[in-house]
């Protein structure tokens, strides 16, 4: 069994063999995608609904591509043109989708816990595509796959997660995954953007980039999530960039071959300088996007096999 339940709601609680097996399967999908072949029989006759209550470019598109490459019928629903705008509750939406017998439900929602709530109410396998500040499990899996392909392992690497950790579901999923797989994790950012529970999560906390980035293998930058800030937690974008934005000067504190990552969308000149983001040797940001499709194919594959066993 590759996931503890028939859903993928969070990385927390997943065991290293389950994570490793998903990454191995995703690896095979990287090769399949690069060969230009597809495997359209796997999800033939199955329906995948992408239910996005928040904006998305990469995640929604890559779930759509992943579903189509495996032969599923894929339907994209966004809140902009759904009945949610007419006042329908999340649970009524769930009941409606359930009546349509969808097999895989990919959910993004601004409220932490919304996909878990839906999972209790629908027959479909639910995949969390990002819920509030809680988790974004497929992002952590694709980040891990990117690192593992470049470095050959996760164990023993030092990974710095930098910037707006407080609001980042990407950071939370990555912390759970990387610590479970034996990486050392540091979080770096202003005290106002580091969650109080950080040290309980088994990470080292730094407030300045110079000491935090010292000798790290991987530098993972995060977007400054202004839409989730109820009050100004940083003085200004310009000042944030000066102290916590990644430029060539700060990157020089990391290992000479340290890789630069960002889940996107990037705010250039706020958390990352353009020359670093576009550096063809150090930056693996585009590779992360490629790995996203393969990881989502692996997740759809595993969850649909588990659903078949339960049929
Ligand atoms: N795309 C990621 C997410 O949905 C990161 C971000 O929005 O900054 O969490």
């Amino acid at each position: 069994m590759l996931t503890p339940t028939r859903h993928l709601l969070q990385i927390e609680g997943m065991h290293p063999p389950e994570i490793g097996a998903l990454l191995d399967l995703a690896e095979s999908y990287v090769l399949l995608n690069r060969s230009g072949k597809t495997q359209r029989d796997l999800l033939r006759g199955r329906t995948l609904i992408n239910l996005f209550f928040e904006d998305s470019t990469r995640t929604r598109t890559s779930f759509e591509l992943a579903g189509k490459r495996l032969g599923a019928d894929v339907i994209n629903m966004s809140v902009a043109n759904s009945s949610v705008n007419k006042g329908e509750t999340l649970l009524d939406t769930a009941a409606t989708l359930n009546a349509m017998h969808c097999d895989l439900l990919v959910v993004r929602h601004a409220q932490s816990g919304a996909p878990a709530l839906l999972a209790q109410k629908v027959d479909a396998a639910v995949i969390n595509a990002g819920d509030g500040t809680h988790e974004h499990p497929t992002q952590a899996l694709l980040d891990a796959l990117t690192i593992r392909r470049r470095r050959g392992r996760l164990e023993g690497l030092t990974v710095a997660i930098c910037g707006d950790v407080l609001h980042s579901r990407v950071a939370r999923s990555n912390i759970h995954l990387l610590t479970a797989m034996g990486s050392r994790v540091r979080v770096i950012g202003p005290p106002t953007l580091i969650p109080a529970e950080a040290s309980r999560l088994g990470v080292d906390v730094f407030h300045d980039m110079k000491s935090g980035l010292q000798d790290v293998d991987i530098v993972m930058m995060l977007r400054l999530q202004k839409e989730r800030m109820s009050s100004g937690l940083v003085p200004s974008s310009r000042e944030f960039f000066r102290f916590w934005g990644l430029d060539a000067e700060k990157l020089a504190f990391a290992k000479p071959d340290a890789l630069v990552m960002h889940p996107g969308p990037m705010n250039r000149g706020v958390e990352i300088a353009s020359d670093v983001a576009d550096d063809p040797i150090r930056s693996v940001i585009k590779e992360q996007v490629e790995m996203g499709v393969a990881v989502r194919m692996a997740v759809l594959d595993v969850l649909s096999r588990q659903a078949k066993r339960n049929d």
Side-chain angles (χ1 to χ4, degrees), residues 244-286:
W244 293 285
L246 188 68
D247 56 13
E249 205 180 309
K250 297 193 194 83
L251 182 57
F253 299 127
K255 282 195 178 152
D257 61 349
L259 299 175
V260 174
M261 304 179 74
H262 193 302
M266 278 186 280
N267 285 316
R268 292 170 181 266
V270 179
E271 68 265 356
I272 191 162
S274 272
D275 57 339
V276 173
D278 299 331
D279 182 327
I281 304 201
R282 310 291 293 274
S283 167
V284 291
I285 295 170
K286 289 200 189 84

Side-chain angles (χ1 to χ4, degrees), residues 24-42:
D24 291 344
L25 183 62
E27 185 85 47
S28 71
Y29 280 119
V30 175
L31 303 179
L32 187 83
N33 289 340
R34 287 191 177 171
S35 75
K37 294 191 193 121
T38 53
Q39 201 176 314
R40 296 201 197 276
D41 286 338
L42 202 75

Side-chain angles (χ1 to χ4, degrees), residues 108 136 169-170 223 225 263-265:
R108 169 168 290 190
H136 191 349
R169 51 200 179 201
V170 173
R223 183 174 64 89
Q225 301 201 14

Side-chain angles (χ1 to χ4, degrees), residues 49-106:
I49 298 183
N50 263 330
L51 182 60
F52 277 63
F53 294 90
E54 266 192 348
D55 296 341
S56 170
T57 307
R58 275 154 288 269
T59 307
R60 209 203 61 180
T61 314
S62 68
F63 268 113
E64 182 175 356
L65 262 179
K68 286 184 172 164
R69 285 190 185 161
L70 296 177
D73 296 319
V74 181
I75 293 155
N76 290 313
M77 281 185 58
S78 63
V79 163
N81 43 32
S82 80
S83 294
V84 175
N85 280 345
K86 300 180 183 169
E88 185 170 270
T89 66
L90 186 60
L91 295 182
D92 283 337
T93 305
T96 305
L97 297 176
N98 208 37
M100 293 180 193
H101 302 296
C102 112
D103 301 288
L104 295 146
L105 187 59
V106 179

